[in-house]
């Protein structure tokens, strides 16, 4: 069964009476455990698509099923619960909570969303922080670590709830090449280890080169699909 | 919950300057309220104490309509013996009554054999009056050094202003001429034993004589003369020479100190005086409302033939114009509290609106990773509450410290002839709790709107926010 299934997915924005179609009738399916990249020029609809898949936004038309749930029908609270249970996010600007330490940022979802018991929490977080190489920095606050380290923490935060899907919007845009490769490598390892699907919206060829499936978007439409296989 | 509290606490400490400023504002507000309420409360209780303990008592009982005609001293509205006994029985049975003093009020003329003037007098039992109004002896100029209330038969305590105006000295004889309710005029000689400092309110410019002198002066009989009443009537008939008989009789009664009160009550039952009012002192002034209500209920069953109540109950507030000042103080207290509420409301709302605006992306992130709207609302409300808590803690400590300093440095004031009255501001713990609760409730209330706004943000818009 497909992890993500989209039929005639459309999203329009309205400025006064003018309709701007960000996505226009997308049909696609993504199987679980894949590294998928959405590429295309700015304004092509990559981020909008990720927002819809992540239940952060609602489609204007069409049907979108993620992990067996029609995300278009979810309300504000149920979409939050859905995200907490099924989806991890990695943002371009890291979006770590500044008042929490590295450890607490990773822990956040387990406490505030999942309510996991402390002992299990600690075990899970420690393992993840070791996996992303941030165990020795766990007591630091986000403003005390580098951009690359922040993104590694963000990856750990995205994976800590064992989501079926991680959405990463331009995850390497604010990183230097070396750090970007490190983060990509990390995500690939995590994908293999946890069998989590990773969906990227990116311009970065470093990510594209590693993706198994590459969707090219232009003017809100899928213009090309490459099943590259990647080197994952 | 503990995690929300932890994140909220860190967010509050994150904007240190803003938190300090807000807490400082709340602190100042609480300090002003605490100091103002404690000082004004001290002033109020002092003044109320002065008025009730010097003249009025806490509660007064009259026949219906007496107070409305108080200025005329309506003798026809005095209580007869049976009515007085009804009230006395109720007061004796009440555990809330510390003391009560029956009074005969009368108006008359005073003459020093040179000039005459109008005078209002209270016929009292000196010891019972002193028990009911313990500060009365302190109003007496030329009082006994022991501070005891001494007023023997044949003696009069004159209002200071009358004595001064008529150039009457202590120890001098004067004559009081009074008309009773039947229109019969009588005169009696008194020796001035002291002068009374005037005090605001009804009766504040009255003189005092012994109640038995009032009985004889007004020739009180109710057609069923008792022993003392008969003697009083005899004293009127035979003139002042017969007074010695009375004094001997009274002295004999007073000799038995252990049974003094009982005997006095027995004497009251025997004489035929008509009582104008009964001043009552309560064990606990704070129970005034409930005790008064109890009296009203108990006396409500006594009605005349027309079904109208026979008695009326008044607390000091209804009798003294100073109650208006007390009301003004209460209103000022209320306004100070409203100002505090406004300060807390505006400062916390301002901080929380700013906090939400500055943290839109954080809100988006929290929402994206699965935080439900209720938790986001809870987080921001907790932050507002914490600001209030900080202000409450610092404000209460500072307020208490200032009140303590005021007590150490002693604020003194004068009231009438009483100088150097020390104001002792004290903070009522319940008041402190009340103010703290108000601040915290307002803090939560002020945070609700920004918190609600935060919880309702669309995550996609919040994450896009720059």
């Amino acid at each position: 069964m497909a992890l993500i299934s989209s039929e005639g997915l459309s999203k329009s924005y309205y400025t006064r009476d003018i309709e701007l179609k960000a996505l226009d009738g997308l049909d696609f399916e993504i199987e679980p455990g894949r590294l998928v990249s959405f590429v295309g020029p700015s304004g092509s609809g990559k981020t909008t698509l990720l927002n819809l898949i992540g239940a952060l936004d609602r489609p204007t038309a069409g049907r979108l099923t993620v992990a067996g749930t029609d995300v278009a029908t979810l309300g504000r609270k149920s979409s939050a619960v859905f995200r907490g249970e099924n989806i991890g996010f990695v943002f371009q600007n890291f979006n770590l909570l500044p008042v929490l330490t590295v450890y607490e940022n990773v822990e956040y979802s387990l406490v505030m969303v999942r309510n996991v018991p402390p002992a299990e929490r600690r075990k899970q977080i420690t393992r993840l922080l070791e996996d992303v190489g941030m165990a020795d920095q766990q007591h630091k606050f986000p403003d005390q670590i580098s951009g690359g380290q922040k993104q590694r923490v963000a990856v750990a935060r995205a994976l800590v709830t064992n989501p079926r899907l991680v959405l990463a919007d331009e995850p390497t845009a604010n990183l230097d090449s070396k750090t970007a490769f490190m983060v990509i490598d990390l995500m690939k390892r995590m994908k293999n280890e946890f069998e989590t699907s990773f969906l990227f919206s990116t311009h970065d060829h470093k990510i594209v080169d590693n993706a198994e499936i590459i969707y090219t978007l232009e003017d809100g439409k899928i213009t090309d699909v490459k099943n590259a296989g990647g080197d994952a | 919950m503990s995690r929300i509290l932890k994140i909220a606490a860190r967010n509050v400490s994150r904007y240190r300057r803003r938190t300090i400023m807000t807490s400082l504002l709340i602190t100042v507000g609480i300090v002003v309220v605490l100091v103002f309420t404690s000082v004004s409360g001290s002033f109020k209780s002092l003044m109320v104490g002065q008025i009730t303990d010097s003249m009025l008592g806490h509660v007064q009982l009259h026949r219906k309509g007496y107070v409305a005609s108080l200025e005329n001293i309506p003798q026809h509205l005095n209580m007869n013996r049976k009515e007085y006994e009804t009230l006395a029985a109720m007061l004796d049975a009440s555990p809330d009554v510390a003391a009560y003093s029956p009074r005969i009020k009368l108006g008359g003329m005073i003459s020093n054999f040179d000039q005459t003037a109008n005078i209002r007098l209270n016929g009292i039992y000196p010891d019972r009056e002193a028990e009911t109004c313990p500060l009365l002896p302190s109003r007496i100029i030329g009082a006994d050094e022991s501070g005891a209330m001494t007023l023997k038969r044949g003696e009069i305590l004159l209002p200071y202003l009358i004595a001064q105006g008529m150039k009457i000295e202590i120890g001098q004889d004067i004559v009081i001429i009074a008309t009773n309710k039947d229109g019969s005029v009588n005169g009696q000689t008194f020796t001035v034993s002291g002068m009374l400092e005037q005090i605001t309110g009804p009766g504040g410019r009255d003189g005092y004589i012994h109640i038995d002198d009032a009985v004889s002066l007004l020739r009180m009989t109710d057609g069923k003369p008792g022993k003392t009443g008969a003697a009083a009537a005899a004293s009127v008939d035979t003139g002042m020479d017969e007074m010695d008989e009375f004094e001997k009789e009274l002295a004999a009664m007073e000799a038995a100190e252990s049974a003094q009160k009982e005997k006095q009550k027995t004497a009251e039952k025997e004489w035929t005086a008509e009582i104008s009012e009964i001043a009552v002192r309560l064990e606990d002034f704070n129970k005034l409302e409930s005790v008064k209500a109890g009296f009203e209920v108990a006396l409500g069953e006594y009605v005349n033939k027309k079904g109208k109540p026979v008695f009326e109950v008044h607390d000091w507030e209804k009798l003294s114009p100073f109650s208006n000042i007390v009301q003004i103080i209460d209103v000022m207290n209320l306004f100070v509290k409203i100002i505090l509420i406004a300060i807390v409301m505006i400062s916390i709302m301002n901080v929380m609106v700013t906090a939400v605006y500055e943290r839109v992306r954080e809100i988006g992130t929290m929402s994206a990773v699965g935080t439900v709207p209720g938790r986001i609302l809870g987080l921001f409300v907790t932050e507002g509450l914490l600001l209030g808590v900080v202000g409450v803690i610092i404000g209460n400590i500072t307020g208490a410290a200032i009140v303590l300093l005021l007590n150490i440095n002693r604020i003194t004031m004068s009231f009438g002839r009483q100088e150097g009255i020390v104001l002792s501001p004290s903070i009522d713990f319940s008041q402190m709790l009340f103010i703290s609760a108000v601040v915290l409730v307002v803090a939560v209330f002020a945070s609700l709107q920004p918190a609600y706004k935060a919880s309702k943000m669309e995550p996609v818009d919040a994450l896009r926010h720059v």
Side-chain angles (χ1 to χ4, degrees), chain B residues 288-306:
Chain B
L288 180 63
E289 284 298 319
S290 62
V291 175
K292 184 191 164 203
F295 287 168
E296 284 170 340
V297 170
L299 297 179
E301 65 183 78
Y302 298 100
V303 291
N304 60 20
K305 288 173 185 171
K306 291 179 182 173

Side-chain angles (χ1 to χ4, degrees), chain A residues 167-180:
Chain A
L167 302 175
D169 189 8
E170 306 277 8
T172 54
N174 287 334
L175 303 177
D176 59 62
S177 289
K178 191 181 166 192
T179 314

Side-chain angles (χ1 to χ4, degrees), chain A:
Chain A
M1 186 185 167
L3 177 66
I4 303 168
S5 169
S6 165
E7 289 172 33
L9 185 68
S10 297
K11 176 70 183 178
S12 297
Y13 296 105
Y14 293 89
T15 310
R16 292 179 187 166
D17 292 333
I18 302 165
E19 182 186 11
L20 178 69
K21 281 200 167 183
L23 296 175
D24 189 6
L26 303 190
D27 299 308
F28 64 91
E29 281 192 351
I30 296 173
E31 298 301 315
R34 294 302 182 94
L35 208 71
V36 180
S37 183
F38 289 96
V39 297
S42 293
S44 59
K46 304 185 296 290
T47 300
T48 302
L49 180 57
L50 253 59
N51 287 341
L52 293 179
I53 294 170
L56 295 171
D57 205 354
R58 288 175 195 83
T60 312
R63 183 180 168 84
L64 178 64
T65 307
V66 180
T69 303
D70 185 353
V71 292
T73 61
L74 297 175
R76 194 187 299 271
K77 186 180 173 183
S78 49
S79 64
V81 173
F82 173 79
R83 287 192 297 270
E85 286 174 353
N86 295 288
I87 301 174
F89 288 89
V90 178
F91 301 99
Q92 180 180 341
N93 293 312
F94 326 123
N95 289 21
L96 299 180
L97 297 176
V99 292
L100 301 182
T101 63
V102 164
Y103 182 92
E104 289 164 343
N105 261 290
V106 179
E107 187 189 33
Y108 181 89
S109 298
L110 296 181
V111 180
M112 298 287 275
V113 182
R114 289 285 186 89
N115 212 9
V116 176
E120 195 182 323
R121 224 156 61 202
R122 172 154 286 280
K123 196 174 147 192
Q124 214 166 325
I125 296 164
T126 307
R127 186 173 61 111
L128 259 174
L129 285 176
E130 278 168 4
D131 282 348
V132 299
M134 289 298 292
D136 56 337
Q137 310 285 321
Q138 62 179 298
H139 299 300
K140 288 187 175 172
F141 284 92
D143 61 356
Q144 296 170 318
I145 57 177
S146 68
Q149 287 174 320
K150 282 179 192 169
Q151 202 59 303
R152 281 149 65 187
V153 175
V155 171
R157 179 180 66 184
L159 289 167
V160 76
T161 54
N162 290 327
R164 302 182 66 181
L165 176 66
V166 171
L167 302 175
D169 189 8
E170 306 277 8
T172 54
N174 287 334
L175 303 177
D176 59 62
S177 289
K178 191 181 166 192
T179 314
F181 274 119
M182 276 174 63
V183 169
I184 293 164
D185 193 49
L186 172 69
M187 288 195 276
K188 279 166 64 183
R189 274 197 292 120
M190 296 293 114
K191 181 223 140 195
N192 292 333
E193 190 177 338
F194 297 102
E195 293 195 346
T196 305
S197 295
F198 277 76
L199 262 66
F200 299 97
S201 144
T202 186
H203 290 103
D204 191 342
H205 67 88
K206 295 187 285 298
I207 292 178
V208 177
D209 292 347
N210 283 282
E212 295 164 12
I213 303 169
I214 303 158
Y215 286 92
T216 305
L217 288 171
E218 272 177 43
D219 298 328
K221 291 180 178 170
I222 296 173
T223 54
D224 189 26
V225 183
K226 278 184 191 162
N227 201 330
D231 53 4

Side-chain angles (χ1 to χ4, degrees), chain B residues 65-310:
Chain B
Y66 189 92
V67 170
S69 308
L70 192 60
E71 286 304 307
N72 309 325
I73 314 179
Q75 289 187 41
H76 68 286
L77 289 176
N78 283 348
M79 301 168 216
N80 61 30
R81 176 176 148 184
K82 193 179 168 191
E83 288 164 343
Y84 169 69
E85 283 173 358
T86 301
L87 296 182
M90 179 188 78
L91 296 172
D92 286 335
S94 172
D96 294 315
V97 174
Y100 65 92
S101 174
R103 294 170 179 166
I104 299 173
K105 298 180 88 75
L106 61 136
M109 301 282 286
I110 175 172
S111 170
N112 62 354
F113 310 104
D114 184 25
Q115 301 172 56
T116 56
N118 293 324
I119 188 167
R120 297 166 62 105
L121 292 167
N122 290 297
I124 55 160
Y125 289 110
D127 49 351
R128 297 186 69 176
E129 185 71 16
E131 278 179 32
T132 308
C133 301
L135 288 180
L136 178 61
S138 69
R139 285 174 57 205
I140 303 172
I141 304 163
D144 187 339
E145 277 183 9
S146 69
M149 178 80 183
T150 53
L151 180 67
K152 298 189 183 87
R153 289 209 57 187
E155 289 182 346
I156 185 169
L157 290 168
L158 271 188
Y160 177 73
L161 289 178
I162 290 180
Q164 196 184 36
M166 296 177 73
K167 296 187 172 53
I168 296 171
E169 303 287 336
I170 293 173
Q172 191 176 328
D173 284 345
I174 53 97
V175 171
I176 298 291
I177 301 155
T179 308
N180 70 8
K181 68 177 179 184
D182 300 324
S184 174
V185 179
N186 192 24
Q188 197 165 314
T189 305
F190 290 89
T191 302
V192 177
S193 64
M195 295 174 196
L196 277 173
E197 173 56 37
Q198 71 172 44
I199 186 168
T200 182
R205 294 181 178 187
D206 292 1
Y208 287 84
I209 56 175
H210 196 282
I211 197 164
D212 290 339
D213 284 336
V215 169
S216 63
L217 187 60
L218 294 174
R219 297 179 175 180
M220 283 180 167
T221 58
D222 63 358
K224 294 179 284 182
K227 185 180 169 188
T228 315
S235 95
V236 172
D237 292 338
T238 55
M240 291 300 292
D241 293 343
E242 294 293 320
M243 290 294 288
D244 291 344
E245 293 284 326
F246 261 101
E247 282 175 6
K248 281 177 189 171
E249 202 174 308
L250 190 66
M253 286 173 71
E254 287 173 345
E257 285 180 19
S258 61
Q260 191 178 9
K261 280 186 185 175
E262 281 307 312
K263 284 186 176 179
Q264 207 159 45
K265 283 172 187 169
T266 307
E268 283 167 30
K269 286 178 183 174
E270 288 172 348
W271 54 237
T272 55
E274 293 178 352
I275 298 299
S276 309
E277 70 186 17
I278 303 175
V280 182
R281 180 175 183 76
L282 303 182
E283 290 283 2
D284 182 359
F285 181 71
N286 295 322
K287 288 186 179 173
L288 180 63
E289 284 298 319
S290 62
V291 175
K292 184 191 164 203
F295 287 168
E296 284 170 340
V297 170
L299 297 179
E301 65 183 78
Y302 298 100
V303 291
N304 60 20
K305 288 173 185 171
K306 291 179 182 173
K308 300 268 175 72
V310 175

